[in-house]
Amino acid sequence: MAIGEGLPVKSDRAPLLTLNADRSPIFLGLIETWRQRELFYFLVWRDLKVRYRQTALGVAWVVLQPLLMALVFTVFFSRLGHFDSGGIPYPVFAYAGLLPWTFFANSVSTGSSSLLANSYILTKVYFPRLLIPLSVVAVRFVDLLVASLVLFVLMPFYGMGLGRNILLLPAMILITGLFALAVSAWLSIVSVRLRDVGTLLPVLIQLWMFLSPIIYPATFVPARWRALYSLNPLVGIIEGFRAAFLGVPFVWNSIIVAAVLTAGLLIYVVYVFFRWEDRIIDKL
Amino acid sequence: MQPIIQVNNVSKHYSVERTSSIAPTLREVLTLKIRRPHTNGNHENGSDLWALRDISFSASAGEVIGILGRNGAGKSTLLKILSRVIKPTHGEVHLFGRVGGLLSLGTGFHPDLTGRENVYLNGAIIGMKRAEVRQKFDEIVAFAEIERFIETPIKYYSSGMYLRLAFAVAAHFEPEILLLDEVLAVGDGAFQKKCLERMRQVSSQGRTILYVSHDLPSVQKLCSRALLIEDGQLLEDGAPEEVTASYIKILVASSQES
């Protein structure tokens, strides 16, 4: 046979898999991602195990991070700044807001560099790459569960009980997780092409924290800015978390905005991710 | 004879960018308009690279095919395409069996995890189901000869132990098509012998193996056929002795040039 010609032997069977430059449909990518959920479990397990092996504080850090921040905020902003936390003791108010915030912020800061950090496996083995940012968010979700235990201690301490609102907590967690996934996945792709993302991101996250109702309640924002302010999905999310835990009324407008924006962003990002993931591997 | 792999006119092009500029990149991502790679073949531009050019061949089930070539010839690129890690720029690959790519050993090994944990992790990453790893776990540990240290974090392993464990997992990975990228090139003589023996066992089970190697004796011993890749092109496809001879000629010629 001549070298360089496609060989004449053709099979009458259909191939199990054909590899070429064509884009494959996104729903096939999603199905494959689901099929590899065992690997997803291992990636999450790996990150959790490694963290608890490597650090002396381990589990404690997951609780200490929001707790220390709540403490700092209480000292500086409650005593000195006098924010009206609507009758809720400020430490509880701050901590309840910090829970979804740390879930989101940590997911994004780790997730945005996750493809780069895992380049040593991505360049050697194929698996659906969405599993990587997905596993980052899942690990932070576990952290959220652990950190939320503090509220179950803190609230009774201040004589507060849980009401029916807590039933909506799973929905709030879901929205937060999906939003964190969308942002992380998008950034993970962009940061392979633009390494500046790594340096810019911490500053942007800091800024975002001040633009979200963590230290202060959303009511602190003047009414004429409130609508614009609520376009930040974290406004709806954080207020929603507070409502779920602390029994204050849900602010449905901002929650709906958060849910709709999250859904839209997620669809867009899944599309971008599957379109770009192969080109990204060439650059790793 | 039905092929198990059919490679048709596969080419791979890399564009080497000087710097990433923010504006075009952001614009691309935001508008989802990806700049398509160059579709015309004439690129003598020095900053662009055709790693593979128009590669075609097919493999039947049970063949053990050696792939020879100098460093940078494109062998690893070919294997990466076949194991789906990267996509070809042109052409296509039809696979009629499941592929397991072993482009390196111990993929995903983490130093802080124990030998046992890494076996499961590595197995999952290369494509073994957890149940399969559990079933073969004792065999894997026995093959690696590290029963005593299986519960120790692998950062404490010597390089030999690390390799033996990594290879032991890989050796129990049983896809229909196995792609090896110079993974037998490591370890001492006794270990290499064990590896070769294992490869022979695997091929006698009827699996197809594509074996990239610089170790010419092992290629002669294991392979029924060999491909010679040079500068991204498939130069020769035939009996191992002849292809090896051609490869040696290329090596000699290039060393005389420098």
Side-chain angles (χ1 to χ4, degrees):
Chain A
M1 75 220 125
I3 297 299
E5 276 177 24
L7 286 161
V9 177
K10 290 279 191 262
S11 176
D12 0 293
R13 294 179 293 162
L16 197 64
L17 188 60
T18 295
L19 306 172
N20 55 30
D22 292 346
R23 306 167 171 185
S24 56
I26 288 177
F27 80 89
L28 280 184
L30 287 170
I31 291 176
E32 246 203 294
T33 307
W34 168 252
R35 282 226 186 101
Q36 294 271 53
R37 54 195 186 278
E38 209 179 73
L39 177 58
F40 165 75
Y41 161 80
F42 272 104
L43 290 172
V44 174
W45 171 86
R46 171 193 70 171
D47 285 348
L48 290 173
K49 260 237 145 89
V50 166
R51 188 203 306 165
Y52 296 146
R53 283 258 165 92
Q54 278 177 342
T55 60
L57 289 176
V59 189
W61 171 243
V62 159
V63 163
L64 278 177
Q65 194 190 6
L67 201 55
L68 286 174
M69 281 179 84
L71 188 66
V72 169
F73 292 165
T74 305
V75 167
F76 283 93
F77 299 114
S78 159
R79 300 292 163 79
L80 310 180
H82 301 293
F83 287 111
D84 172 19
S85 51
I88 312 278
Y90 190 81
V92 182
F93 169 86
Y95 195 84
L98 281 165
L99 271 183
W101 169 254
T102 40
F103 177 29
F104 173 76
N106 287 347
S107 296
V108 168
S109 64
T110 311
S112 62
S113 58
S114 57
L115 290 183
L116 288 168
N118 283 289
S119 66
Y120 66 107
I121 42 178
L122 290 168
T123 50
K124 297 292 182 197
V125 176
Y126 172 80
F127 55 84
R129 286 95 181 204
L130 193 58
L131 291 180
I132 299 265
L134 250 174
S135 69
V136 170
V137 175
V139 168
R140 300 302 175 178
F141 167 70
V142 172
D143 293 352
L144 170 70
L145 292 180
V146 173
S148 61
L149 294 177
V150 171
L151 269 184
F152 294 108
V153 168
L154 213 54
M155 282 173 67
F157 178 76
Y158 282 98
M160 298 174 70
L162 290 175
R164 275 184 322 163
N165 282 0
I166 195 76
L167 293 173
L168 271 155
L169 185 63
M172 298 312 311
I173 294 180
L174 182 67
I175 299 177
T176 318
L178 292 177
F179 183 57
L181 175 65
V183 176
S184 309
W186 190 81
L187 284 173
S188 70
I189 291 276
V190 173
S191 67
V192 175
R193 296 288 302 278
L194 275 179
R195 308 283 167 122
D196 314 64
V197 169
T199 32
L200 284 172
L201 195 60
V203 178
L204 292 176
I205 291 183
Q206 276 294 87
L207 186 62
W208 207 333
M209 187 181 83
F210 287 110
L211 290 173
S212 309
I214 303 168
I215 299 169
Y216 54 84
T219 46
F220 180 71
V221 175
R224 59 200 167 98
W225 293 112
R226 194 82 55 81
L228 189 63
Y229 179 73
S230 303
L231 285 180
N232 171 6
L234 286 174
V235 171
I237 284 169
I238 290 171
E239 299 258 279
F241 259 77
R242 283 209 180 101
F245 272 109
L246 310 177
V248 296
F250 283 99
V251 182
W252 293 112
N253 287 350
S254 57
I255 291 178
I256 288 171
V257 166
V260 167
L261 284 178
T262 297
L265 188 65
L266 192 61
I267 291 170
Y268 161 76
V269 172
V270 164
Y271 187 77
V272 167
F273 196 93
F274 280 108
R275 281 287 168 267
W276 278 75
E277 59 169 318
D278 289 302
R279 306 204 67 212
I280 286 309
I281 299 299
D282 285 347
K283 305 274 182 226
L284 277 179
Chain B
M1 182 77 169
Q2 306 263 8
I4 197 163
I5 304 175
Q6 180 128 10
V7 179
N8 291 340
N9 307 100
V10 162
S11 304
K12 179 65 185 176
H13 172 268
Y14 284 103
S15 66
V16 181
E17 290 160 6
R18 267 159 284 265
T19 45
S20 291
S21 35
I22 296 186
T25 307
L26 271 184
R27 199 195 314 135
E28 266 181 30
V29 180
L30 289 174
T31 62
L32 298 178
K33 275 209 213 64
I34 299 165
R35 264 178 295 145
R36 296 301 268 147
H38 310 282
T39 42
N40 53 333
N42 33 328
H43 261 279
E44 295 313 309
N45 182 350
S47 69
D48 288 345
L49 169 69
W50 285 98
L52 288 178
R53 273 185 261 229
D54 215 33
I55 307 271
S56 296
F57 67 93
S58 75
S60 317
E63 279 196 274
V64 182
I65 303 179
I67 302 181
L68 300 175
R70 290 195 288 162
N71 288 335
K75 316 183 293 294
S76 293
T77 308
L78 177 61
L79 249 53
K80 279 189 181 177
I81 289 179
L82 291 175
S83 58
R84 214 178 160 187
V85 173
I86 60 182
K87 279 183 132 163
T89 310
H90 298 306
E92 47 186 27
V93 175
H94 296 294
L95 298 170
F96 296 88
R98 282 198 313 178
V99 170
L102 282 174
L103 305 186
S104 70
L105 287 177
T107 318
F109 266 20
H110 195 289
D112 290 305
L113 298 180
T114 66
R116 173 186 296 267
E117 288 161 348
N118 274 303
V119 166
Y120 277 94
L121 180 61
N122 182 227
I125 287 177
I126 63 180
M128 293 170 81
K129 297 271 166 217
R130 191 189 338 175
E132 193 187 342
V133 177
R134 198 183 310 138
Q135 193 192 16
K136 298 179 180 171
F137 185 77
D138 293 329
E139 273 177 53
I140 292 174
V141 176
F143 188 95
E145 294 168 26
I146 47 163
E147 289 93 336
R148 274 181 62 201
F149 298 106
I150 197 65
E151 310 295 345
T152 318
I154 64 171
K155 62 185 175 190
Y156 298 116
Y157 283 16
S158 66
S159 59
M161 291 161 75
Y162 183 105
L163 282 173
R164 292 204 309 269
L165 185 62
F167 189 78
V169 179
H172 288 81
F173 179 39
E174 296 175 335
E176 291 166 76
I177 303 170
L178 190 56
L179 305 174
L180 301 173
D181 195 351
E182 302 189 55
V183 292
L184 302 189
V186 291
D188 62 18
F191 180 71
Q192 291 216 5
K193 237 179 124 194
K194 208 172 180 179
C195 296
L196 274 180
E197 188 42 53
R198 181 69 195 190
M199 284 339 307
R200 223 176 262 130
Q201 252 185 353
V202 167
S203 97
S204 70
Q205 287 166 357
R207 294 177 205 285
T208 311
I209 304 178
L210 263 63
Y211 174 48
V212 167
S213 181
H214 288 295
D215 179 20
L216 304 181
S218 68
V219 170
Q220 307 265 36
K221 267 186 254 176
L222 284 175
C223 305
S224 53
R225 183 176 151 202
L227 306 176
L228 177 60
I229 309 225
E230 167 72 10
D231 205 25
Q233 293 180 298
L234 181 60
L235 290 188
E236 202 172 318
D237 179 350
E241 306 79 44
E242 289 157 25
V243 175
T244 308
S246 309
Y247 175 50
I248 292 175
K249 272 202 213 114
I250 293 181
L251 285 177
V252 168
S254 70
S255 72
Q256 281 173 350
E257 263 166 43
S258 48

